[in-house]
Amino acid sequence: MDLRNIAIIAHVDHGKTTLVDELLKQSGAFRENQAVAERAMDSNDLERERGITILAKATSVEWKGTRINIVDTPGHADFGGEVERILSMVDGVVLLVDAAEGPMPQTKFVTSKALALGLRPIVVLNKVDKPDAEPDRALDEVFDLFSNLDADEDQLDFPHLYASGRSGWADAELDGPRKDLTALFQLIVNHVPAPRQIKRQDEDFRMLATTLGADPFVGRLLTGRVESGKLKVGATIQAISRVGQKIEQFRVTRIQAFRGLGQQDIEEAVAGDIVSLAGMSKATVSDTLCALAVDEPLEAQPIDPPTITVTFGINDSPLAGRDGKKVQSRVIRDRLMKEAESNVAIRISDTPGGEAFEVAGRGELQMGVLIENMRREGFELSISRPRVLMREEDGQRMEPIEEATIDVDDDYSGAVIEKLTGARKGELVEMRPSGTGKTRIIAHVPSRGLIGYHGEFLTDTRGTGVLNRVFHGWAPHKGPIPGRRAGVLISMEDGEAVAYALWNLEERGRMFIGPQEKIYQGMIIGEHSRDNDLEVNPLKGKKLTNVRASGSDDAVRLTPPVRMSLEEAIAYINDDELVEVTPNAIRLRKRYLNPHERKRMAKAEG
């Protein structure tokens, strides 16, 4: 059977997973009466809830005698470590672009990786049936993007289709018949080359492991494309690390190939196919699995370095251990090490004392997803404010710069530019109208300046703005950037919050808690309306007397508290504050619980 390996690239919410659903349906991968969930490739709970692809996943369809292996790649640059490895498995890419929005920052990030590998793209302009679609403008922007990314002549001469993934059609012309995806299937078969590895079937077996999975019955599963040779179940092979160190020898207990949404056991893997192997105990991502006669590892794609670090510690608050079952530092460490095995974009290191761990990664979203997964598994953690990783170049201190692409109503563009180019030390790169009363702003901003900015941005744009960011490069350190301006309200008592006390505190600022919530000394219960921290008593009840007086018996009417998401809480805190994360709660607190102890520490430091 003919073979084609492709990856689908798109920005978050441009319809990539929906299009894969239609490819599976129209290729006959499902029975007619089979119940299939919408966005079938998003198998992770968090992916379904957030509508984003976090983990790269492979599937396979058959079309007129050709098997097409399709890899669904993450759309967000924070999960780019997945993308960089995945692209080494494929021979072509389908770039999906929203006809209204055009190519966005995350598209640019993944496309640059694909073009650098020499992959020939197919461009699909999706959602052309939307009322605000401008497919011709989007197509011009894609060409400009490829040109800016140093695409060669073959890559610039890309074929394109107009499509609606939700309606399940793709055509070469905008006013085509709009019936099905036949045009896309044919273009993939004709434009994407067959794997060159097919010609190497007589050589020794070699395969680069690109993703790590686990099965409760067979153990570790490593997935990758077979680079040369053949492999049968029961054969003994070895694993070699990226630097050439021999890790282990093992017997292959199972070979699985992708068929539709599932995986099927096969007896033999051949060069060019994408398969999963079982039987290893130590081998991991980026290792080469090969015959015993092979000495040299396959070249693994270099992974972009992490740009931020967050400290994961044990939860040592007075309410620790009430929600979660996994609270010890050794259990937290084991879980983080397991994550680092399968996610090459994350690095773990111990802090002095061994009670906390430095986790370095790509961005706040990646950290938020890791913490949310651990929280659902029953962990309790205390999380520090993200810190940006600096590096030295020729004796000069360098910091990471991100490219922020912002779509905002014309009325709010001034406020956004003032915030980004003022205290946050950003540089305006481009500003142009993007239709229907909106402006597109592109700015290069230090990563430090964007930590905690998203909440302010939504306030400034009345919730209508869209901000996307992607790593741009390194630049000399731009000097101090002020953090959060507002102070916080700190509880000075332990107990349950009283509605009357919170009502009296509302004039001091906005509240993060409601009545009857458990609080403790040092916990942050709200944001102060001024720039200093204030210790308050949220347990103070109403003095009761037997005298009735006009005005003293008013009903207590509380403003609903502000409930932060995990990412918002992590971005909100200052360096001397922590986020306490449990399966049922997200709380903010000062790093030192006792206010008197805090004063003593400050005095000792300085």
Side-chain angles (χ1 to χ4, degrees):
M1 182 176 283
D2 270 356
L3 194 60
R4 299 290 185 276
N5 296 323
I6 63 161
I8 296 192
I9 296 172
H11 182 75
V12 175
D13 205 30
H14 277 201
K16 166 170 46 72
T17 309
T18 306
L19 182 72
V20 174
D21 277 3
E22 286 298 321
L23 288 170
L24 286 163
K25 284 176 190 169
Q26 295 189 25
S27 67
F30 304 140
R31 298 189 315 272
E32 282 191 23
N33 63 343
Q34 186 172 344
V36 181
E38 189 180 352
R39 302 197 325 273
M41 292 292 282
D42 284 348
S43 52
N44 182 307
D45 285 345
L46 274 180
E47 290 178 319
R48 289 195 167 282
E49 288 171 24
R50 299 182 183 218
I52 59 174
T53 302
I54 295 171
L55 303 169
K57 290 173 283 293
T59 185
S60 133
V61 299
E62 284 185 26
W63 176 257
K64 296 185 177 177
T66 301
R67 172 166 294 120
I68 304 171
N69 287 323
I70 303 170
V71 184
D72 186 12
T73 60
H76 199 286
D78 275 17
F79 309 107
E82 289 273 317
V83 175
E84 290 154 28
R85 290 178 285 121
I86 289 302
L87 292 176
S88 66
M89 291 201 296
V90 299
D91 305 292
V93 293
V94 174
L95 175 62
L96 200 66
V97 177
D98 189 307
E101 294 184 3
M104 297 292 279
Q106 322 294 11
T107 316
K108 177 180 177 181
F109 168 80
V110 186
T111 306
S112 67
K113 302 286 182 188
L115 294 177
L117 287 169
L119 301 176
R120 294 175 66 198
I122 294 170
V123 174
V124 177
L125 299 165
N126 196 26
K127 305 185 184 181
V128 293
D129 48 358
K130 283 172 64 176
D132 58 343
E134 296 182 58
D136 292 336
R137 174 183 61 79
L139 190 61
D140 289 342
E141 288 178 0
V142 171
F143 185 87
D144 292 343
L145 171 66
F146 285 8
S147 180
N148 292 337
L149 295 175
D150 299 325
D152 60 32
E153 287 186 15
D154 282 345
Q155 291 169 331
L156 285 172
D157 188 23
F158 57 85
H160 67 275
L161 296 173
Y162 302 96
S164 170
R166 183 173 288 279
S167 303
W169 59 265
D171 292 315
E173 303 295 332
L174 189 56
D175 52 356
R178 301 192 172 190
K179 277 171 49 184
D180 53 29
L181 293 169
T182 301
L184 179 56
F185 280 118
Q186 287 179 341
L187 189 55
I188 290 170
V189 172
N190 296 334
H191 185 73
V192 177
R196 62 186 185 283
Q197 289 80 2
I198 289 176
K199 299 174 183 174
R200 301 181 189 159
Q201 303 218 7
D202 298 329
E203 300 176 19
D204 288 326
F205 172 78
R206 291 184 303 163
M207 176 182 121
L208 183 68
T210 50
T211 62
L212 173 68
D215 185 288
F217 301 106
V218 297
R220 292 163 80 91
L221 282 168
L222 283 172
T223 303
R225 177 172 65 178
V226 181
E227 291 295 319
S228 62
K230 298 179 181 178
L231 180 70
K232 289 192 173 181
V233 175
T236 300
I237 59 174
Q238 64 176 341
I240 304 178
S241 72
R242 272 190 292 185
V243 294
Q245 181 183 359
K246 295 192 176 182
I247 298 168
E248 63 172 332
Q249 290 187 11
F250 62 94
R251 179 176 166 272
V252 178
T253 57
R254 185 171 289 189
I255 302 173
Q256 294 183 334
F258 293 93
R259 300 291 182 264
L261 276 180
Q263 286 183 284
Q264 286 181 7
D265 287 353
I266 56 174
E267 284 302 310
E268 185 177 52
V270 296
D273 203 0
I274 296 174
V275 296
S276 300
L277 305 184
M280 72 291 297
S281 59
K282 297 177 184 173
T284 186
V285 168
S286 298
D287 291 343
T288 299
L289 309 180
C290 54
L292 300 178
V294 176
D295 293 325
E296 291 292 318
L298 292 164
E299 184 182 349
Q301 275 294 307
I303 304 299
D304 283 351
T307 56
I308 70 162
T309 179
V310 171
T311 303
F312 283 53
I314 58 171
N315 180 17
D316 53 2
S317 86
L319 300 180
R322 301 194 184 186
D323 288 350
K325 302 289 183 223
K326 300 173 182 176
V327 295
Q328 305 94 332
S329 58
R330 115 189 114 70
V331 180
I332 294 170
R333 185 180 190 279
D334 290 346
R335 174 65 178 83
L336 290 174
M337 290 302 176
K338 182 181 170 187
E339 182 71 23
E341 263 188 9
S342 59
N343 189 344
V344 294
I346 278 182
R347 294 180 191 165
I348 315 291
S349 56
D350 293 341
T351 58
E355 289 291 301
F357 312 96
E358 294 279 343
V359 182
R362 288 286 175 82
E364 292 157 69
L365 180 62
Q366 184 188 33
M367 292 298 168
V369 166
L370 171 58
I371 296 164
E372 182 64 40
N373 279 327
M374 291 179 69
R375 178 187 178 199
R376 293 182 181 200
E377 292 164 19
F379 284 87
E380 288 197 9
L381 305 162
S382 62
I383 308 295
S384 74
R385 176 179 168 83
R387 286 187 298 107
V388 170
L389 291 169
M390 308 287 181
R391 72 182 190 190
E392 295 280 331
E393 277 186 18
D394 301 326
Q396 190 172 25
R397 198 175 180 210
M398 309 290 281
E399 68 172 323
I401 303 293
E402 298 192 30
E403 182 175 279
T405 301
I406 296 165
D407 285 310
V408 65
D409 290 348
D410 295 342
D411 297 346
Y412 307 130
S413 58
V416 171
I417 292 169
E418 183 184 348
K419 285 274 177 75
L420 287 179
T421 58
R424 297 178 184 275
K425 308 283 176 75
E427 294 176 11
L428 190 64
V429 176
E430 186 182 337
M431 180 178 172
R432 57 181 169 80
S434 59
T436 62
K438 285 192 175 288
T439 300
R440 175 163 290 184
I441 299 165
I442 299 177
H444 291 164
V445 190
S447 297
R448 292 179 298 140
L450 288 173
I451 292 175
Y453 172 62
H454 197 256
E456 269 185 62
F457 170 74
L458 290 177
T459 304
D460 291 342
T461 61
R462 307 294 186 273
T464 60
V466 178
L467 173 106
N468 291 287
R469 43 195 275 202
V470 67
F471 177 72
H472 175 69
W474 297 85
H477 190 265
K478 294 183 180 287
I481 293 176
R484 187 188 70 222
R485 291 180 183 173
V488 289
L489 302 175
I490 306 163
S491 170
M492 58 198 298
E493 297 289 346
D494 299 345
E496 288 188 2
V498 175
Y500 180 76
L502 296 180
W503 182 54
N504 283 322
L505 287 172
E506 281 190 349
E507 62 188 33
R508 298 285 189 179
R510 53 183 191 152
M511 292 293 140
F512 299 157
I513 63 165
Q516 275 78 57
E517 286 191 36
K518 286 186 169 58
I519 56 172
Y520 53 82
Q521 203 173 347
M523 180 173 155
I524 296 169
I525 63 164
E527 181 179 271
H528 195 194
S529 54
R530 300 189 180 181
D531 59 1
N532 63 308
D533 294 349
L534 187 68
E535 291 183 2
V536 296
N537 183 0
L539 271 57
K540 192 174 180 182
K542 184 178 181 182
K543 293 284 189 292
L544 299 177
T545 70
N546 59 355
V547 178
R548 298 288 179 196
S550 174
S552 65
D553 294 309
D554 291 341
V556 171
R557 290 202 180 118
L558 290 174
T559 307
V562 175
R563 301 293 186 188
M564 290 190 190
S565 69
L566 185 57
E567 283 92 354
E568 287 169 344
I570 293 169
Y572 178 82
I573 57 174
N574 274 336
D575 291 333
D576 63 341
E577 296 162 359
L578 295 171
V579 179
E580 177 188 341
V581 180
T582 74
N584 300 323
I586 295 171
R587 304 184 187 99
L588 309 184
R589 64 181 171 91
K590 282 293 180 179
R591 193 177 282 269
Y592 309 113
L593 298 176
N594 188 325
H596 304 294
E597 186 70 10
R598 240 183 17 255
K599 287 175 187 172
R600 188 180 65 77
M601 293 282 287
K603 192 175 180 181
E605 288 172 4

PDB file of all heavy atoms in Angstrom, residues 500 503 542-555:
ATOM      1  N   TYR A 500     -20.638  40.113  57.259  1.00  0.00           N
ATOM      2  CA  TYR A 500     -20.677  41.503  57.726  1.00  0.00           C
ATOM      3  C   TYR A 500     -19.284  42.146  57.612  1.00  0.00           C
ATOM      4  O   TYR A 500     -19.146  43.301  57.186  1.00  0.00           O
ATOM      5  CB  TYR A 500     -21.168  41.532  59.177  1.00  0.00           C
ATOM      6  CG  TYR A 500     -21.250  42.920  59.768  1.00  0.00           C
ATOM      7  CD1 TYR A 500     -22.279  43.790  59.425  1.00  0.00           C
ATOM      8  CD2 TYR A 500     -20.278  43.368  60.669  1.00  0.00           C
ATOM      9  CE1 TYR A 500     -22.348  45.063  59.974  1.00  0.00           C
ATOM     10  CE2 TYR A 500     -20.330  44.638  61.224  1.00  0.00           C
ATOM     11  CZ  TYR A 500     -21.373  45.487  60.867  1.00  0.00           C
ATOM     12  OH  TYR A 500     -21.442  46.749  61.399  1.00  0.00           O
ATOM     13  N   TRP A 503     -18.442  42.824  53.988  1.00  0.00           N
ATOM     14  CA  TRP A 503     -19.243  43.968  53.512  1.00  0.00           C
ATOM     15  C   TRP A 503     -18.550  45.283  53.886  1.00  0.00           C
ATOM     16  O   TRP A 503     -18.459  46.203  53.090  1.00  0.00           O
ATOM     17  CB  TRP A 503     -20.638  43.852  54.137  1.00  0.00           C
ATOM     18  CG  TRP A 503     -21.610  44.917  53.714  1.00  0.00           C
ATOM     19  CD1 TRP A 503     -21.946  45.258  52.440  1.00  0.00           C
ATOM     20  CD2 TRP A 503     -22.377  45.761  54.576  1.00  0.00           C
ATOM     21  NE1 TRP A 503     -22.886  46.266  52.442  1.00  0.00           N
ATOM     22  CE2 TRP A 503     -23.175  46.589  53.746  1.00  0.00           C
ATOM     23  CE3 TRP A 503     -22.487  45.887  55.968  1.00  0.00           C
ATOM     24  CZ2 TRP A 503     -24.053  47.542  54.254  1.00  0.00           C
ATOM     25  CZ3 TRP A 503     -23.371  46.825  56.473  1.00  0.00           C
ATOM     26  CH2 TRP A 503     -24.146  47.651  55.631  1.00  0.00           C
ATOM     27  N   LYS A 542     -20.866  41.577  63.695  1.00  0.00           N
ATOM     28  CA  LYS A 542     -21.617  42.777  64.080  1.00  0.00           C
ATOM     29  C   LYS A 542     -21.868  42.753  65.574  1.00  0.00           C
ATOM     30  O   LYS A 542     -22.223  41.710  66.145  1.00  0.00           O
ATOM     31  CB  LYS A 542     -22.938  42.776  63.311  1.00  0.00           C
ATOM     32  CG  LYS A 542     -23.778  44.007  63.527  1.00  0.00           C
ATOM     33  CD  LYS A 542     -25.029  43.900  62.671  1.00  0.00           C
ATOM     34  CE  LYS A 542     -25.876  45.135  62.846  1.00  0.00           C
ATOM     35  NZ  LYS A 542     -27.122  45.044  62.062  1.00  0.00           N
ATOM     36  N   LYS A 543     -21.642  43.899  66.229  1.00  0.00           N
ATOM     37  CA  LYS A 543     -21.938  44.008  67.665  1.00  0.00           C
ATOM     38  C   LYS A 543     -23.455  44.003  67.843  1.00  0.00           C
ATOM     39  O   LYS A 543     -24.164  44.835  67.289  1.00  0.00           O
ATOM     40  CB  LYS A 543     -21.354  45.309  68.220  1.00  0.00           C
ATOM     41  CG  LYS A 543     -19.830  45.344  68.213  1.00  0.00           C
ATOM     42  CD  LYS A 543     -19.270  44.482  69.343  1.00  0.00           C
ATOM     43  CE  LYS A 543     -17.773  44.663  69.490  1.00  0.00           C
ATOM     44  NZ  LYS A 543     -17.003  44.129  68.365  1.00  0.00           N
ATOM     45  N   LEU A 544     -23.947  43.061  68.628  1.00  0.00           N
ATOM     46  CA  LEU A 544     -25.391  42.927  68.820  1.00  0.00           C
ATOM     47  C   LEU A 544     -25.827  43.650  70.086  1.00  0.00           C
ATOM     48  O   LEU A 544     -25.213  43.508  71.154  1.00  0.00           O
ATOM     49  CB  LEU A 544     -25.779  41.456  68.914  1.00  0.00           C
ATOM     50  CG  LEU A 544     -25.460  40.608  67.666  1.00  0.00           C
ATOM     51  CD1 LEU A 544     -25.820  39.164  67.899  1.00  0.00           C
ATOM     52  CD2 LEU A 544     -26.190  41.136  66.443  1.00  0.00           C
ATOM     53  N   THR A 545     -26.898  44.453  69.988  1.00  0.00           N
ATOM     54  CA  THR A 545     -27.495  45.118  71.167  1.00  0.00           C
ATOM     55  C   THR A 545     -28.996  44.899  71.119  1.00  0.00           C
ATOM     56  O   THR A 545     -29.545  44.409  70.120  1.00  0.00           O
ATOM     57  CB  THR A 545     -27.223  46.636  71.147  1.00  0.00           C
ATOM     58  OG1 THR A 545     -27.987  47.226  70.083  1.00  0.00           O
ATOM     59  CG2 THR A 545     -25.757  46.954  70.932  1.00  0.00           C
ATOM     60  N   ASN A 546     -29.676  45.240  72.219  1.00  0.00           N
ATOM     61  CA  ASN A 546     -31.131  45.084  72.221  1.00  0.00           C
ATOM     62  C   ASN A 546     -31.829  46.386  71.825  1.00  0.00           C
ATOM     63  O   ASN A 546     -33.027  46.562  72.042  1.00  0.00           O
ATOM     64  CB  ASN A 546     -31.629  44.630  73.599  1.00  0.00           C
ATOM     65  CG  ASN A 546     -31.255  45.626  74.685  1.00  0.00           C
ATOM     66  OD1 ASN A 546     -30.546  46.592  74.406  1.00  0.00           O
ATOM     67  ND2 ASN A 546     -31.728  45.395  75.902  1.00  0.00           N
ATOM     68  N   VAL A 547     -31.047  47.314  71.243  1.00  0.00           N
ATOM     69  CA  VAL A 547     -31.620  48.594  70.811  1.00  0.00           C
ATOM     70  C   VAL A 547     -31.739  48.588  69.297  1.00  0.00           C
ATOM     71  O   VAL A 547     -30.781  48.291  68.592  1.00  0.00           O
ATOM     72  CB  VAL A 547     -30.729  49.783  71.262  1.00  0.00           C
ATOM     73  CG1 VAL A 547     -31.318  51.096  70.755  1.00  0.00           C
ATOM     74  CG2 VAL A 547     -30.592  49.791  72.765  1.00  0.00           C
ATOM     75  N   ARG A 548     -32.936  48.899  68.817  1.00  0.00           N
ATOM     76  CA  ARG A 548     -33.145  48.998  67.380  1.00  0.00           C
ATOM     77  C   ARG A 548     -32.974  50.454  66.962  1.00  0.00           C
ATOM     78  O   ARG A 548     -33.513  51.344  67.609  1.00  0.00           O
ATOM     79  CB  ARG A 548     -34.563  48.555  67.000  1.00  0.00           C
ATOM     80  CG  ARG A 548     -34.839  47.116  67.339  1.00  0.00           C
ATOM     81  CD  ARG A 548     -34.086  46.192  66.402  1.00  0.00           C
ATOM     82  NE  ARG A 548     -34.322  44.795  66.721  1.00  0.00           N
ATOM     83  CZ  ARG A 548     -33.567  43.819  66.275  1.00  0.00           C
ATOM     84  NH1 ARG A 548     -32.526  44.095  65.529  1.00  0.00           N
ATOM     85  NH2 ARG A 548     -33.831  42.577  66.577  1.00  0.00           N
ATOM     86  N   ALA A 549     -32.224  50.698  65.898  1.00  0.00           N
ATOM     87  CA  ALA A 549     -32.023  52.072  65.443  1.00  0.00           C
ATOM     88  C   ALA A 549     -32.081  52.109  63.922  1.00  0.00           C
ATOM     89  O   ALA A 549     -31.660  51.164  63.252  1.00  0.00           O
ATOM     90  CB  ALA A 549     -30.681  52.608  65.921  1.00  0.00           C
ATOM     91  N   SER A 550     -32.614  53.194  63.393  1.00  0.00           N
ATOM     92  CA  SER A 550     -32.719  53.347  61.951  1.00  0.00           C
ATOM     93  C   SER A 550     -31.328  53.338  61.320  1.00  0.00           C
ATOM     94  O   SER A 550     -30.433  54.045  61.747  1.00  0.00           O
ATOM     95  CB  SER A 550     -33.421  54.673  61.643  1.00  0.00           C
ATOM     96  OG  SER A 550     -33.408  54.903  60.257  1.00  0.00           O
ATOM     97  N   GLY A 551     -31.158  52.507  60.306  1.00  0.00           N
ATOM     98  CA  GLY A 551     -29.879  52.463  59.586  1.00  0.00           C
ATOM     99  C   GLY A 551     -28.913  51.426  60.101  1.00  0.00           C
ATOM    100  O   GLY A 551     -27.999  51.046  59.404  1.00  0.00           O
ATOM    101  N   SER A 552     -29.069  50.931  61.316  1.00  0.00           N
ATOM    102  CA  SER A 552     -28.085  49.984  61.852  1.00  0.00           C
ATOM    103  C   SER A 552     -28.415  48.539  61.500  1.00  0.00           C
ATOM    104  O   SER A 552     -27.614  47.645  61.738  1.00  0.00           O
ATOM    105  CB  SER A 552     -27.994  50.123  63.374  1.00  0.00           C
ATOM    106  OG  SER A 552     -29.224  49.749  63.959  1.00  0.00           O
ATOM    107  N   ASP A 553     -29.609  48.315  60.948  1.00  0.00           N
ATOM    108  CA  ASP A 553     -30.010  46.941  60.621  1.00  0.00           C
ATOM    109  C   ASP A 553     -30.168  46.742  59.114  1.00  0.00           C
ATOM    110  O   ASP A 553     -31.031  46.005  58.663  1.00  0.00           O
ATOM    111  CB  ASP A 553     -31.323  46.592  61.331  1.00  0.00           C
ATOM    112  CG  ASP A 553     -31.152  46.550  62.835  1.00  0.00           C
ATOM    113  OD1 ASP A 553     -30.213  45.864  63.269  1.00  0.00           O
ATOM    114  OD2 ASP A 553     -31.924  47.211  63.548  1.00  0.00           O
ATOM    115  N   ASP A 554     -29.338  47.463  58.348  1.00  0.00           N
ATOM    116  CA  ASP A 554     -29.398  47.299  56.896  1.00  0.00           C
ATOM    117  C   ASP A 554     -28.991  45.869  56.512  1.00  0.00           C
ATOM    118  O   ASP A 554     -28.140  45.257  57.153  1.00  0.00           O
ATOM    119  CB  ASP A 554     -28.418  48.268  56.197  1.00  0.00           C
ATOM    120  CG  ASP A 554     -28.875  49.717  56.345  1.00  0.00           C
ATOM    121  OD1 ASP A 554     -30.062  49.899  56.635  1.00  0.00           O
ATOM    122  OD2 ASP A 554     -28.040  50.626  56.173  1.00  0.00           O
ATOM    123  N   ALA A 555     -29.622  45.375  55.446  1.00  0.00           N
ATOM    124  CA  ALA A 555     -29.260  44.040  54.958  1.00  0.00           C
ATOM    125  C   ALA A 555     -27.854  44.081  54.376  1.00  0.00           C
ATOM    126  O   ALA A 555     -27.437  45.048  53.750  1.00  0.00           O
ATOM    127  CB  ALA A 555     -30.252  43.604  53.882  1.00  0.00           C
TER     128      ALA A 555
END
